[in-house]
Amino acid sequence: MNDSDLRSLFHQLRDEETRFPPSPRTRGEGAPKGRMRGWALAIVAILIVIVFALRRRPEPTESILTWKPPTDVLLRTPGSELLTTVPRIPDLPERK
Amino acid sequence: MDRAELECELERLHAASFGWALGCCGRNRDDAEEVLQTVYLKVLDGKARFDGRSSLKTWLFAVIRRTAMAHRRTRWIRSLALLRLPPPQPPPEVDQMETRRLVAALRRLSRRQREVLELVFYHDMTIEEAGQALRISLGSARVHYTRGKKRLEALLGNE
């Protein structure tokens, strides 16, 4: 088989395959199916993320000024009130 | 080159582009159509720009080849992700015995050899143009051409 035989065989194949090519959709009226599907999936995923983000809002936190630790009770010891109060000096009797 | 001119050129080259897309997609018409549509959108949206360093046909064929490779990778990854094999491809739509033998023989060549031979014999490009379309050197294109042709002749002669 020489070059011209090979070429004519390839041309025969070309004629068969490209005799009825699909119409060229060059005006962008139809994006490929795969790409459309990809966009649709991406949009759905974004919507799901937004819905979850809105639903799982963090609970409002207590102000640091009013917050008390739950272990505060452990710091209370017997007689601790003596440390936090000023002892009262009894009144002196009046001199006559 | 403005958009109207580009559209005109794409329409002129459409049959040849479809033939090349078929070659790049293992002669699967659906895949070739999808690849070609993606290429047209790329070109018309300006994502692929013709710089005038080669002929428009050579450049367009290079874009088609790259897009077909990306398409094949995407399909492969998708088939892995879905844990299923791609559906079996229908036999090529060729009626005549000779061309069927040619397609079968082409499938047994390496990808580069098949591409160079298709560009030279199917699309009537020179070996240099084929090298440009495949983004390989002229020397490399010559080697693939010579080895591929020898193998193809042997395969067609034996069958």
Side-chain angles (χ1 to χ4, degrees):
Chain A
M1 182 173 274
N2 58 24
D3 274 15
S4 76
D5 292 340
L6 211 50
R7 194 174 292 277
S8 68
L9 194 54
F10 269 96
H11 282 189
Q12 198 181 324
L13 177 64
R14 183 182 68 189
D15 294 342
E16 286 169 8
E17 285 183 338
T18 60
R19 192 178 300 146
F20 304 109
S23 64
R25 290 173 292 166
T26 57
R27 316 236 173 226
E29 69 269 26
K33 284 180 235 162
R35 185 176 291 185
M36 288 286 283
R37 209 175 300 138
W39 277 111
L41 282 176
I43 289 167
V44 168
I46 289 167
L47 285 177
I48 288 171
V49 168
I50 289 171
V51 166
F52 269 88
L54 289 176
R55 282 184 63 185
R56 299 180 65 187
R57 240 185 240 169
E59 288 172 14
T61 51
E62 207 178 342
S63 167
I64 194 73
L65 295 173
T66 56
W67 180 77
K68 278 185 181 167
T71 54
D72 232 14
V73 70
L74 299 175
L75 296 175
R76 280 188 214 142
T77 52
S80 63
E81 64 273 6
L82 293 174
L83 300 172
T84 56
T85 56
V86 180
R88 190 160 178 276
I89 299 170
D91 293 339
L92 293 172
E94 280 182 24
R95 286 185 187 173
K96 291 182 180 174
Chain B
M1 190 177 280
D2 65 9
R3 193 186 164 99
E5 246 181 312
L6 204 55
E7 277 188 20
C8 207
E9 282 297 308
L10 289 180
E11 286 191 25
R12 188 178 64 78
L13 291 169
H14 178 63
S17 301
F18 180 64
W20 177 234
L22 271 176
C24 294
C25 296
R27 312 223 107 69
N28 181 312
R29 280 183 84 90
D30 290 341
D31 282 355
E33 274 186 48
E34 200 167 320
V35 163
L36 208 52
Q37 173 67 359
T38 308
V39 169
Y40 289 159
L41 287 173
K42 266 188 197 176
V43 172
L44 294 173
D45 290 348
K47 285 177 191 159
R49 282 176 192 277
F50 176 54
D51 55 9
R53 278 189 294 180
S54 56
S55 71
L56 181 75
K57 184 179 174 182
T58 308
W59 170 78
L60 185 62
F61 275 32
V63 178
I64 291 170
R65 182 173 167 273
R66 271 205 309 272
T67 308
M69 285 173 76
H71 181 78
R72 203 163 45 226
R73 272 197 301 272
T74 311
R75 275 187 70 126
W76 182 74
I77 291 168
R78 206 178 292 163
S79 70
L80 277 185
L82 297 175
L83 291 175
R84 64 179 168 83
L85 295 170
Q89 299 297 326
E93 293 176 11
V94 288
D95 299 330
Q96 301 201 353
M97 206 61 198
E98 283 294 302
T99 48
R100 199 173 296 183
R101 279 181 60 215
L102 175 63
V103 170
L106 281 172
R107 287 211 168 114
R108 295 178 66 182
L109 301 183
S110 74
R111 186 163 55 86
R112 283 273 193 236
Q113 289 173 356
R114 188 175 65 241
E115 286 171 342
V116 172
L117 291 182
E118 277 193 34
L119 289 171
V120 171
F121 290 113
Y122 189 111
H123 296 283
D124 295 324
M125 282 187 178
T126 62
I127 298 175
E128 190 180 358
E129 286 170 332
Q132 284 174 351
L134 299 175
R135 299 280 190 267
I136 56 175
S137 68
L138 175 59
S140 187
R142 276 203 187 116
V143 170
H144 290 305
Y145 170 79
T146 311
R147 289 183 186 165
K149 197 172 77 165
K150 202 171 165 186
R151 179 115 198 271
L152 185 64
E153 282 169 354
L155 287 167
L156 289 173
N158 287 342
E159 284 172 10

